[in-house]
Amino acid sequence: MLRARPIHYTSRPKDWTTILEALGLVKTVDDDEWQEFDAGSGRLALGHVEHGHPLDGSTLFSVEVGDVDEFVRRTEETGTQAEVHETPEATTARISADDGFEFFAFPATRAADGSWATSPDADPALAVVASWVSPLVEMSANVLRGIGAKPRSADDESATFNTKNGGILQVIHGADAGNGVLAFKYDAGLDPLLAQLTQAGVEARISEGILYVANPDAAGGAAPASIVVERVPA
């Protein structure tokens, strides 16, 4: 089991909740400073931090897996660095890459029917995209292959992967290794999404086939101006 589940930290969780629900995500966890949302493909965690916190407006690349110990065993068999990492909250897996980047695999929770499916009420056309910026795209892509992600597309500047249980992982070339910004892909026309956002009072526009949604974190100068929703090519 492998699913994209980035973590976005924000001092504006109410604004983000409005945006995510207008995009068709469904809130499945609401625990004070921590919320989780299901998309049709992939999931997103939303962590509340105070304004000015170093993480405010940032998104951490991460995934969910069914069995942490088994995930670590299989990942190490591919030659990818992984280890069990204990925290007070949960047992996770830490994956390390040669560019110095580290990310975590968190234990997933089964749906009510016992499967790994996301909420049936989430928009099935929307996919969460978790991005990793790396100076070594091909090396980072090998790490994602090592954790079980399936190649989707690749060129000199990027590599994109599907996960077995939902969501998209991508590596984007950059000078320094780090976390990329949160984005989404949509496998249908964008006009209905724009209408839903407008109805919810969210500023958004479509330009050259891409939906740009005003990013609430940009007000503090800690994030890009827009959240990007890109239509999946036919």
Side-chain angles (χ1 to χ4, degrees):
M1 187 276 180
L2 179 69
R3 176 161 53 213
R5 199 214 66 178
I7 306 169
H8 185 77
Y9 289 96
T10 180
S11 58
R12 298 171 175 83
K14 290 183 179 179
D15 293 335
W16 269 95
T17 296
T18 298
I19 290 171
L20 296 176
E21 291 180 343
L23 286 173
L25 288 91
V26 174
K27 186 186 293 184
T28 56
V29 174
D30 191 353
D31 186 14
D32 294 329
E33 308 297 292
W34 184 266
Q35 299 170 329
E36 295 180 11
F37 295 80
D38 280 4
S41 182
R43 302 182 69 236
L44 170 67
L46 196 67
H48 179 202
V49 295
E50 295 300 319
H51 179 66
H53 190 283
L55 287 175
D56 191 13
S58 64
T59 305
L60 301 189
F61 182 96
S62 66
V63 298
E64 288 185 335
V65 297
D67 183 308
V68 170
D69 291 324
E70 180 65 8
F71 169 80
V72 168
R73 184 188 69 79
R74 291 184 178 183
T75 299
E76 288 183 321
E77 284 182 350
T78 70
T80 301
Q81 299 179 57
E83 62 180 353
V84 175
H85 182 71
E86 299 285 353
T87 70
E89 292 78 22
T91 299
T92 63
R94 179 166 56 196
I95 301 93
S96 304
D98 289 342
D99 66 358
F101 187 67
E102 293 183 341
F103 63 94
F104 289 87
F106 293 85
T109 301
R110 292 185 184 272
D113 63 1
S115 72
W116 296 115
T118 58
S119 171
D121 297 322
D123 187 335
L126 189 73
V128 177
V129 181
S131 298
W132 167 4
V133 178
S134 174
L136 306 169
V137 171
E138 181 54 33
M139 182 223 64
S140 301
N142 284 335
V143 172
L144 296 185
R145 294 187 190 97
I147 68 171
K150 304 301 180 185
R152 179 186 177 109
S153 63
D155 55 39
D156 291 341
E157 295 295 315
S158 65
T160 305
F161 294 79
N162 290 327
T163 59
K164 181 178 180 181
N165 300 91
I168 296 169
L169 307 178
Q170 67 177 7
V171 181
I172 301 172
H173 184 264
D176 299 307
N179 295 282
V181 298
L182 177 64
F184 301 91
K185 288 190 181 291
Y186 199 65
D187 193 14
L190 295 173
D191 289 317
L193 280 188
L194 177 59
Q196 290 166 196
L197 288 160
T198 301
Q199 186 175 10
V202 177
E203 181 183 345
R205 62 184 174 87
I206 295 175
S207 177
E208 298 182 353
I210 297 175
L211 175 60
Y212 295 93
V213 184
N215 188 341
D217 296 324
S226 299
I227 306 156
V228 172
V229 184
E230 185 176 5
R231 184 173 181 182
V232 176

mmCIF file of all heavy atoms in Angstrom, residues 177-206:
data_model
loop_
_atom_site.group_PDB
_atom_site.id
_atom_site.type_symbol
_atom_site.label_atom_id
_atom_site.label_comp_id
_atom_site.label_asym_id
_atom_site.label_seq_id
_atom_site.Cartn_x
_atom_site.Cartn_y
_atom_site.Cartn_z
ATOM 1 N N ALA A 177 18.094 20.483 -2.444
ATOM 2 C CA ALA A 177 17.052 19.518 -2.110
ATOM 3 C C ALA A 177 16.096 20.117 -1.091
ATOM 4 O O ALA A 177 16.508 20.790 -0.152
ATOM 5 C CB ALA A 177 17.680 18.239 -1.549
ATOM 6 N N GLY A 178 14.804 19.866 -1.286
ATOM 7 C CA GLY A 178 13.820 20.376 -0.344
ATOM 8 C C GLY A 178 12.414 19.969 -0.722
ATOM 9 O O GLY A 178 12.195 19.204 -1.672
ATOM 10 N N ASN A 179 11.455 20.486 0.008
ATOM 11 C CA ASN A 179 10.048 20.210 -0.245
ATOM 12 C C ASN A 179 9.511 21.175 -1.288
ATOM 13 O O ASN A 179 9.824 22.367 -1.274
ATOM 14 C CB ASN A 179 9.238 20.365 1.040
ATOM 15 C CG ASN A 179 9.625 19.348 2.093
ATOM 16 O OD1 ASN A 179 9.230 18.196 2.039
ATOM 17 N ND2 ASN A 179 10.426 19.773 3.080
ATOM 18 N N GLY A 180 8.680 20.656 -2.192
ATOM 19 C CA GLY A 180 8.033 21.506 -3.175
ATOM 20 C C GLY A 180 6.710 22.043 -2.656
ATOM 21 O O GLY A 180 6.304 21.768 -1.529
ATOM 22 N N VAL A 181 6.030 22.809 -3.485
ATOM 23 C CA VAL A 181 4.757 23.396 -3.095
ATOM 24 C C VAL A 181 3.625 22.396 -3.332
ATOM 25 O O VAL A 181 3.758 21.453 -4.110
ATOM 26 C CB VAL A 181 4.475 24.695 -3.874
ATOM 27 C CG1 VAL A 181 5.540 25.733 -3.561
ATOM 28 C CG2 VAL A 181 4.399 24.428 -5.375
ATOM 29 N N LEU A 182 2.509 22.621 -2.654
ATOM 30 C CA LEU A 182 1.336 21.777 -2.816
ATOM 31 C C LEU A 182 0.643 22.107 -4.131
ATOM 32 O O LEU A 182 0.500 23.270 -4.502
ATOM 33 C CB LEU A 182 0.371 22.004 -1.655
ATOM 34 C CG LEU A 182 -0.956 21.241 -1.706
ATOM 35 C CD1 LEU A 182 -0.721 19.744 -1.630
ATOM 36 C CD2 LEU A 182 -1.866 21.706 -0.579
ATOM 37 N N ALA A 183 0.209 21.068 -4.848
ATOM 38 C CA ALA A 183 -0.519 21.259 -6.099
ATOM 39 C C ALA A 183 -1.503 20.110 -6.277
ATOM 40 O O ALA A 183 -1.499 19.127 -5.526
ATOM 41 C CB ALA A 183 0.448 21.339 -7.278
ATOM 42 N N PHE A 184 -2.346 20.253 -7.290
ATOM 43 C CA PHE A 184 -3.348 19.237 -7.586
ATOM 44 C C PHE A 184 -3.429 19.024 -9.090
ATOM 45 O O PHE A 184 -3.076 19.908 -9.872
ATOM 46 C CB PHE A 184 -4.735 19.674 -7.082
ATOM 47 C CG PHE A 184 -4.801 19.940 -5.611
ATOM 48 C CD1 PHE A 184 -4.564 21.208 -5.108
ATOM 49 C CD2 PHE A 184 -5.099 18.910 -4.717
ATOM 50 C CE1 PHE A 184 -4.620 21.461 -3.744
ATOM 51 C CE2 PHE A 184 -5.153 19.154 -3.352
ATOM 52 C CZ PHE A 184 -4.921 20.426 -2.872
ATOM 53 N N LYS A 185 -3.907 17.851 -9.482
ATOM 54 C CA LYS A 185 -4.251 17.582 -10.872
ATOM 55 C C LYS A 185 -5.721 17.181 -10.924
ATOM 56 O O LYS A 185 -6.239 16.583 -9.980
ATOM 57 C CB LYS A 185 -3.367 16.489 -11.471
ATOM 58 C CG LYS A 185 -1.928 16.942 -11.724
ATOM 59 C CD LYS A 185 -1.143 15.932 -12.530
ATOM 60 C CE LYS A 185 0.295 16.393 -12.764
ATOM 61 N NZ LYS A 185 0.372 17.553 -13.687
ATOM 62 N N TYR A 186 -6.355 17.523 -12.059
ATOM 63 C CA TYR A 186 -7.791 17.290 -12.187
ATOM 64 C C TYR A 186 -8.081 16.613 -13.513
ATOM 65 O O TYR A 186 -7.695 17.104 -14.574
ATOM 66 C CB TYR A 186 -8.545 18.621 -12.081
ATOM 67 C CG TYR A 186 -10.004 18.449 -11.753
ATOM 68 C CD1 TYR A 186 -10.406 17.916 -10.526
ATOM 69 C CD2 TYR A 186 -10.990 18.830 -12.661
ATOM 70 C CE1 TYR A 186 -11.751 17.766 -10.219
ATOM 71 C CE2 TYR A 186 -12.336 18.693 -12.354
ATOM 72 C CZ TYR A 186 -12.710 18.158 -11.129
ATOM 73 O OH TYR A 186 -14.043 18.006 -10.828
ATOM 74 N N ASP A 187 -8.790 15.502 -13.451
ATOM 75 C CA ASP A 187 -9.058 14.695 -14.638
ATOM 76 C C ASP A 187 -10.452 15.000 -15.197
ATOM 77 O O ASP A 187 -11.263 14.105 -15.427
ATOM 78 C CB ASP A 187 -8.937 13.209 -14.289
ATOM 79 C CG ASP A 187 -8.896 12.323 -15.535
ATOM 80 O OD1 ASP A 187 -8.688 12.872 -16.632
ATOM 81 O OD2 ASP A 187 -9.078 11.102 -15.403
ATOM 82 N N ALA A 188 -10.736 16.290 -15.389
ATOM 83 C CA ALA A 188 -12.020 16.728 -15.953
ATOM 84 C C ALA A 188 -11.888 18.220 -16.239
ATOM 85 O O ALA A 188 -10.842 18.833 -15.988
ATOM 86 C CB ALA A 188 -13.172 16.452 -14.987
ATOM 87 N N GLY A 189 -12.954 18.822 -16.758
ATOM 88 C CA GLY A 189 -12.930 20.247 -17.034
ATOM 89 C C GLY A 189 -12.803 21.066 -15.763
ATOM 90 O O GLY A 189 -13.349 20.708 -14.713
ATOM 91 N N LEU A 190 -12.093 22.182 -15.856
ATOM 92 C CA LEU A 190 -11.814 23.002 -14.675
ATOM 93 C C LEU A 190 -12.921 24.005 -14.357
ATOM 94 O O LEU A 190 -12.970 24.541 -13.245
ATOM 95 C CB LEU A 190 -10.498 23.761 -14.875
ATOM 96 C CG LEU A 190 -9.233 22.889 -14.986
ATOM 97 C CD1 LEU A 190 -8.040 23.762 -15.353
ATOM 98 C CD2 LEU A 190 -8.971 22.150 -13.683
ATOM 99 N N ASP A 191 -13.807 24.285 -15.296
ATOM 100 C CA ASP A 191 -14.836 25.301 -15.072
ATOM 101 C C ASP A 191 -15.731 25.000 -13.863
ATOM 102 O O ASP A 191 -16.043 25.919 -13.093
ATOM 103 C CB ASP A 191 -15.680 25.481 -16.334
ATOM 104 C CG ASP A 191 -14.895 26.168 -17.449
ATOM 105 O OD1 ASP A 191 -14.182 27.150 -17.156
ATOM 106 O OD2 ASP A 191 -14.985 25.715 -18.604
ATOM 107 N N PRO A 192 -16.179 23.745 -13.667
ATOM 108 C CA PRO A 192 -16.991 23.472 -12.471
ATOM 109 C C PRO A 192 -16.236 23.753 -11.170
ATOM 110 O O PRO A 192 -16.834 24.235 -10.195
ATOM 111 C CB PRO A 192 -17.337 21.984 -12.610
ATOM 112 C CG PRO A 192 -17.274 21.722 -14.071
ATOM 113 C CD PRO A 192 -16.144 22.577 -14.566
ATOM 114 N N LEU A 193 -14.938 23.459 -11.136
ATOM 115 C CA LEU A 193 -14.151 23.758 -9.936
ATOM 116 C C LEU A 193 -14.091 25.262 -9.698
ATOM 117 O O LEU A 193 -14.210 25.729 -8.558
ATOM 118 C CB LEU A 193 -12.726 23.213 -10.069
ATOM 119 C CG LEU A 193 -12.475 21.728 -9.812
ATOM 120 C CD1 LEU A 193 -10.979 21.456 -9.807
ATOM 121 C CD2 LEU A 193 -13.094 21.281 -8.499
ATOM 122 N N LEU A 194 -13.891 26.023 -10.772
ATOM 123 C CA LEU A 194 -13.855 27.474 -10.646
ATOM 124 C C LEU A 194 -15.182 27.995 -10.083
ATOM 125 O O LEU A 194 -15.195 28.866 -9.198
ATOM 126 C CB LEU A 194 -13.575 28.110 -12.004
ATOM 127 C CG LEU A 194 -13.578 29.643 -12.052
ATOM 128 C CD1 LEU A 194 -12.531 30.219 -11.108
ATOM 129 C CD2 LEU A 194 -13.348 30.128 -13.478
ATOM 130 N N ALA A 195 -16.289 27.441 -10.566
ATOM 131 C CA ALA A 195 -17.601 27.863 -10.076
ATOM 132 C C ALA A 195 -17.771 27.540 -8.597
ATOM 133 O O ALA A 195 -18.316 28.352 -7.824
ATOM 134 C CB ALA A 195 -18.692 27.189 -10.896
ATOM 135 N N GLN A 196 -17.290 26.367 -8.170
ATOM 136 C CA GLN A 196 -17.397 25.986 -6.758
ATOM 137 C C GLN A 196 -16.567 26.911 -5.873
ATOM 138 O O GLN A 196 -16.995 27.303 -4.779
ATOM 139 C CB GLN A 196 -16.944 24.534 -6.578
ATOM 140 C CG GLN A 196 -17.898 23.517 -7.184
ATOM 141 C CD GLN A 196 -17.306 22.129 -7.296
ATOM 142 O OE1 GLN A 196 -17.836 21.291 -8.024
ATOM 143 N NE2 GLN A 196 -16.209 21.855 -6.599
ATOM 144 N N LEU A 197 -15.386 27.256 -6.335
ATOM 145 C CA LEU A 197 -14.520 28.148 -5.561
ATOM 146 C C LEU A 197 -15.139 29.548 -5.462
ATOM 147 O O LEU A 197 -15.148 30.159 -4.393
ATOM 148 C CB LEU A 197 -13.142 28.221 -6.215
ATOM 149 C CG LEU A 197 -12.285 26.960 -6.077
ATOM 150 C CD1 LEU A 197 -11.188 26.942 -7.145
ATOM 151 C CD2 LEU A 197 -11.662 26.869 -4.694
ATOM 152 N N THR A 198 -15.656 30.033 -6.579
ATOM 153 C CA THR A 198 -16.278 31.357 -6.586
ATOM 154 C C THR A 198 -17.476 31.399 -5.644
ATOM 155 O O THR A 198 -17.667 32.364 -4.891
ATOM 156 C CB THR A 198 -16.714 31.726 -8.015
ATOM 157 O OG1 THR A 198 -15.565 31.716 -8.871
ATOM 158 C CG2 THR A 198 -17.353 33.105 -8.047
ATOM 159 N N GLN A 199 -18.273 30.338 -5.672
ATOM 160 C CA GLN A 199 -19.440 30.265 -4.787
ATOM 161 C C GLN A 199 -19.030 30.272 -3.315
ATOM 162 O O GLN A 199 -19.749 30.791 -2.457
ATOM 163 C CB GLN A 199 -20.252 29.013 -5.101
ATOM 164 C CG GLN A 199 -21.559 28.915 -4.332
ATOM 165 C CD GLN A 199 -22.385 27.722 -4.763
ATOM 166 O OE1 GLN A 199 -21.932 26.855 -5.489
ATOM 167 N NE2 GLN A 199 -23.628 27.668 -4.298
ATOM 168 N N ALA A 200 -17.848 29.691 -3.022
ATOM 169 C CA ALA A 200 -17.351 29.644 -1.641
ATOM 170 C C ALA A 200 -16.646 30.937 -1.241
ATOM 171 O O ALA A 200 -16.148 31.049 -0.113
ATOM 172 C CB ALA A 200 -16.403 28.465 -1.478
ATOM 173 N N GLY A 201 -16.578 31.907 -2.158
ATOM 174 C CA GLY A 201 -15.940 33.173 -1.850
ATOM 175 C C GLY A 201 -14.438 33.158 -1.996
ATOM 176 O O GLY A 201 -13.741 34.014 -1.433
ATOM 177 N N VAL A 202 -13.912 32.190 -2.782
ATOM 178 C CA VAL A 202 -12.466 32.064 -2.969
ATOM 179 C C VAL A 202 -12.074 32.678 -4.313
ATOM 180 O O VAL A 202 -12.693 32.390 -5.349
ATOM 181 C CB VAL A 202 -12.040 30.583 -2.941
ATOM 182 C CG1 VAL A 202 -10.546 30.448 -3.207
ATOM 183 C CG2 VAL A 202 -12.409 29.961 -1.595
ATOM 184 N N GLU A 203 -11.049 33.507 -4.299
ATOM 185 C CA GLU A 203 -10.559 34.119 -5.531
ATOM 186 C C GLU A 203 -9.823 33.070 -6.364
ATOM 187 O O GLU A 203 -8.915 32.388 -5.868
ATOM 188 C CB GLU A 203 -9.621 35.279 -5.202
ATOM 189 C CG GLU A 203 -9.077 35.999 -6.426
ATOM 190 C CD GLU A 203 -8.095 37.106 -6.072
ATOM 191 O OE1 GLU A 203 -8.061 37.495 -4.882
ATOM 192 O OE2 GLU A 203 -7.366 37.557 -6.965
ATOM 193 N N ALA A 204 -10.203 32.924 -7.621
ATOM 194 C CA ALA A 204 -9.577 31.941 -8.500
ATOM 195 C C ALA A 204 -9.778 32.359 -9.949
ATOM 196 O O ALA A 204 -10.677 33.144 -10.275
ATOM 197 C CB ALA A 204 -10.180 30.562 -8.262
ATOM 198 N N ARG A 205 -8.947 31.828 -10.831
ATOM 199 C CA ARG A 205 -9.062 32.130 -12.259
ATOM 200 C C ARG A 205 -8.471 30.973 -13.057
ATOM 201 O O ARG A 205 -7.649 30.197 -12.539
ATOM 202 C CB ARG A 205 -8.331 33.427 -12.605
ATOM 203 C CG ARG A 205 -6.830 33.372 -12.329
ATOM 204 C CD ARG A 205 -6.138 34.697 -12.581
ATOM 205 N NE ARG A 205 -4.725 34.653 -12.181
ATOM 206 C CZ ARG A 205 -3.744 34.243 -12.977
ATOM 207 N NH1 ARG A 205 -4.009 33.866 -14.229
ATOM 208 N NH2 ARG A 205 -2.492 34.213 -12.539
ATOM 209 N N ILE A 206 -8.878 30.873 -14.305
ATOM 210 C CA ILE A 206 -8.319 29.883 -15.224
ATOM 211 C C ILE A 206 -7.534 30.624 -16.295
ATOM 212 O O ILE A 206 -8.037 31.581 -16.896
ATOM 213 C CB ILE A 206 -9.420 29.018 -15.869
ATOM 214 C CG1 ILE A 206 -10.129 28.178 -14.801
ATOM 215 C CG2 ILE A 206 -8.827 28.106 -16.947
ATOM 216 C CD1 ILE A 206 -11.315 27.390 -15.334
#
